[in-house]
Amino acid sequence: MDLKDKLLSSFLAFENNVDLDHPVHDVRSEAIKNFEAKGFPSKKEEAWKYTSLNNIQKVDFSIFPKQENTLEYKDIKQYFLHEIDTYKIVFIDGVYSSYLSETTHDGVDVCLMSAALTKPQYKQVIDVYFNKVASKDESLTTLNTAFSKEGAYIYIPKNKVPKKPIQILHLATGTEAALMLQPRNLVIVEENAEVQIIERHQSLTGNEVLTNSVTEIFAAKDANVDYYKVQNDVNTASLIDNTYISQKDKSIVRVHTFSFGGKLTRNNLNFYQNGEYMDSVLKGVTILGEKQHVDHHTLVHHAQPNCESHQDYKGIFGEKSTGVFNGKIIVDKIAQKTNAFQQNNNILISDKATINTKPQLEIFADDVKCSHGCTIGQLDEDALFYLQSRGIPKKEATALLMYAFANNVLESVRIPELKTRINKLIAKKLGVRVGFEL
């Protein structure tokens, strides 16, 4: 039985454990029909031209964990941003861990999708927001929708700001020989509210893990959202991360994606601007080695006038690693006075590493300021010579230049302790000594 057939048969078992009378059941049923019709994407599709899921489909993944596992905080402390106090939503093999989590209903809701999807007090919000911005057509998103049950539910009411940032941590223990996880996150930030969120997926062993994640984010008028994705997993873990964002007037949403680990990572990041005077910020750093593969697909759809978007992705690729960047900006005819910027810069430090980059603009308005560009090259030999002439060995000089190249993306990170952590992760990945380990 291949993975698609296994998932379709597992859906029948999944339905036995959910409320079939709940309105979400109809959403799930439609979603599984879509996945059944389309299956897994292939390289024949333009959007997946450089990323193959064939090897993943050959693995005999467990769809549901066979047992609940527990972990001690001291054993996983390194994966938390433990330098500051935060709310925490922790999942172990897809199952919520109350022992490791710290949730709240004190003026804001930081809790679980399983509660939001089943308890009456959340029904009105779920009816308005759940599966409303996520794609109804993209097969892996609909697969996640079909199995949507658990994940993070974050609701920030009008004029509210949580007392501290929120961490979402998905842990895989390796109890199963191979495990597939499908977390579903829903983030709603109402008018003039703010939130900071850090999300991480982490395997604790070398067993195969496939995570197919979907996050929906709704930013109302004057809302401010910072979302940070830390992807530094082991080389047997694969992640398909689908994020859909709907913005209203004068909102600001920033998403930073730091891709350092994992076997295969696909990031689908989609912004839909549904108002005026808003800003969308997409920034990323990718540093790969060995045979790692990271594919960034971004979309910013400017549907109203007087809005901005800024994309800045940087990649460093060594050994036999491969990278993909496909960024699309769409400016509708009505979206006059749009200011859209997109840049993708890459350094290849191995003649066996590859990067495929395709920035795209589709502009239907005539009074706009839009630019896009990409670079692929090697380190500046003059700068390298200069550092060596000052007594810095070539290996260290090379690492310092790469560090400087990647590090300026961190300027817009608004949590100082996270900026320090990522700064040191970059340094470690590049071999720059800063006296820090993770």
Side-chain angles (χ1 to χ4, degrees):
M1 182 183 296
D2 65 15
L3 183 55
K4 177 185 174 183
D5 290 337
K6 187 172 186 177
L7 285 162
L8 293 174
S9 62
S10 297
F11 181 73
L12 300 176
F14 173 80
E15 283 194 309
N16 291 331
N17 295 304
V18 296
D19 182 4
L20 301 184
D21 294 324
H22 195 284
V24 172
H25 169 66
D26 293 335
V27 176
R28 293 187 181 116
S29 297
E30 284 300 313
I32 199 67
K33 290 177 184 177
N34 181 289
F35 175 73
E36 183 176 15
K38 294 193 170 184
F40 284 90
S42 73
K43 296 181 74 173
K44 293 180 181 179
E45 301 174 36
E46 182 64 26
W48 290 83
K49 184 177 180 180
Y50 300 109
T51 299
S52 173
L53 300 180
N54 288 344
N55 289 335
I56 286 176
Q57 294 178 66
K58 296 174 184 177
V59 179
D60 184 21
F61 288 103
S62 295
I63 308 303
F64 311 111
K66 296 183 176 64
Q67 65 184 59
E68 291 191 17
N69 294 290
T70 58
L71 295 167
E72 293 297 322
Y73 178 73
K74 62 181 178 63
D75 297 325
I76 57 170
K77 179 181 177 181
Q78 60 181 323
Y79 304 120
F80 288 95
L81 185 65
H82 52 76
E83 294 85 353
I84 58 172
D85 189 19
T86 62
Y87 295 116
K88 302 171 184 68
I89 312 174
V90 183
F91 304 95
I92 302 175
D93 294 335
V95 179
Y96 173 66
S97 170
S98 58
Y99 173 67
L100 294 171
S101 299
E102 180 187 344
T103 59
T104 184
H105 297 285
D106 183 13
V108 301
D109 286 323
V110 179
C111 57
L112 305 179
M113 276 297 291
S114 57
L117 289 171
T118 56
K119 294 186 177 180
Q121 62 264 40
Y122 299 106
K123 183 180 183 304
Q124 184 176 354
V125 175
I126 292 298
D127 288 346
V128 172
Y129 292 105
F130 178 75
N131 205 47
K132 294 302 188 291
V133 68
S135 174
K136 315 294 190 299
D137 188 58
E138 201 281 320
S139 63
L140 293 177
T141 297
T142 58
L143 173 62
N144 176 284
T145 300
F147 285 89
S148 57
K149 182 180 179 181
E150 193 58 286
Y153 174 82
I154 298 170
Y155 179 81
I156 314 299
K158 182 178 179 179
N159 298 324
K160 293 290 186 178
V161 180
K163 296 177 181 177
K164 46 195 176 182
I166 301 164
Q167 293 192 72
I168 306 170
L169 184 57
H170 304 273
L171 298 165
T173 63
T175 303
E176 310 282 345
L179 179 64
M180 183 173 184
L181 300 171
Q182 300 204 72
R184 181 65 170 244
N185 303 320
L186 179 59
V187 180
I188 302 150
V189 187
E190 295 286 16
E191 184 177 343
N192 199 40
E194 296 185 20
V195 71
Q196 294 178 319
I197 301 170
I198 306 160
E199 183 178 24
R200 181 166 185 166
H201 301 264
Q202 187 66 49
S203 300
L204 304 180
T205 71
N207 287 355
E208 288 263 6
V209 176
L210 169 62
T211 302
N212 179 36
S213 175
V214 172
T215 299
E216 294 183 283
I217 301 173
F218 295 87
K221 181 180 178 181
D222 291 310
N224 200 317
V225 179
D226 283 319
Y227 206 106
Y228 303 97
K229 299 173 181 287
V230 182
Q231 301 169 348
N232 191 34
D233 216 335
V234 300
N235 283 351
T236 51
S238 297
L239 170 65
I240 300 166
D241 188 283
N242 307 281
T243 302
Y244 299 90
I245 300 166
S246 174
Q247 290 183 249
K248 297 293 187 182
D249 299 88
K250 299 180 182 178
S251 63
I252 302 174
V253 178
R254 307 175 189 87
V255 177
H256 292 71
T257 305
F258 302 104
S259 302
F260 305 137
K263 178 171 67 174
L264 181 150
T265 302
R266 167 73 176 229
N267 289 302
N268 297 319
L269 180 55
N270 305 277
F271 278 75
Y272 300 97
Q273 295 190 340
N274 300 305
E276 295 190 54
Y277 302 103
M278 66 187 68
D279 193 4
S280 304
V281 178
L282 304 76
K283 294 199 174 186
V285 177
T286 300
I287 305 175
L288 302 183
E290 301 182 38
K291 294 182 179 180
Q292 292 177 297
H293 178 97
V294 169
D295 183 344
H296 293 288
H297 263 62
T298 68
L299 167 67
V300 180
H301 190 162
H302 292 268
Q304 297 293 328
N306 303 304
C307 295
E308 298 188 8
S309 65
H310 301 84
Q311 300 186 55
D312 187 7
Y313 280 75
K314 295 195 172 184
I316 299 174
F317 303 91
E319 299 177 282
K320 297 181 179 180
S321 62
T322 57
V324 181
F325 177 82
N326 190 314
K328 179 182 287 188
I329 298 171
I330 301 174
V331 182
D332 287 352
K333 186 175 182 179
I334 194 177
Q336 304 293 345
K337 304 295 183 182
T338 291
N339 181 6
F341 169 83
Q342 181 189 88
Q343 186 69 33
N344 174 229
N345 298 322
N346 304 281
I347 292 178
L348 300 178
I349 55 176
S350 165
D351 58 6
K352 295 182 179 179
T354 59
I355 172 69
N356 297 283
T357 179
K358 185 182 178 183
Q360 303 175 72
L361 292 177
E362 294 184 11
I363 303 173
F364 303 98
D366 55 16
D367 185 10
V368 300
K369 184 190 294 185
C370 297
S371 64
H372 68 144
C374 66
T375 61
I376 302 173
Q378 297 177 322
L379 291 173
D380 186 332
E381 291 294 333
D382 291 338
L384 190 60
F385 175 79
Y386 175 82
L387 290 176
Q388 289 180 269
S389 70
R390 295 298 184 268
I392 301 175
K394 184 176 182 180
K395 181 179 178 180
E396 284 75 10
T398 299
L400 284 170
L401 286 176
M402 292 188 294
Y403 179 72
F405 169 79
N407 199 49
N408 68 353
V409 172
L410 296 181
E411 292 175 0
S412 52
V413 174
R414 302 204 308 161
I415 302 175
E417 295 81 3
L418 178 63
K419 182 184 291 188
T420 300
R421 173 72 70 94
I422 298 299
N423 195 314
K424 293 174 179 177
L425 269 175
I426 292 173
K428 183 178 180 182
K429 187 80 176 179
L430 297 175
V432 178
R433 296 179 182 179
V434 292
F436 180 87
E437 292 187 1
L438 180 62

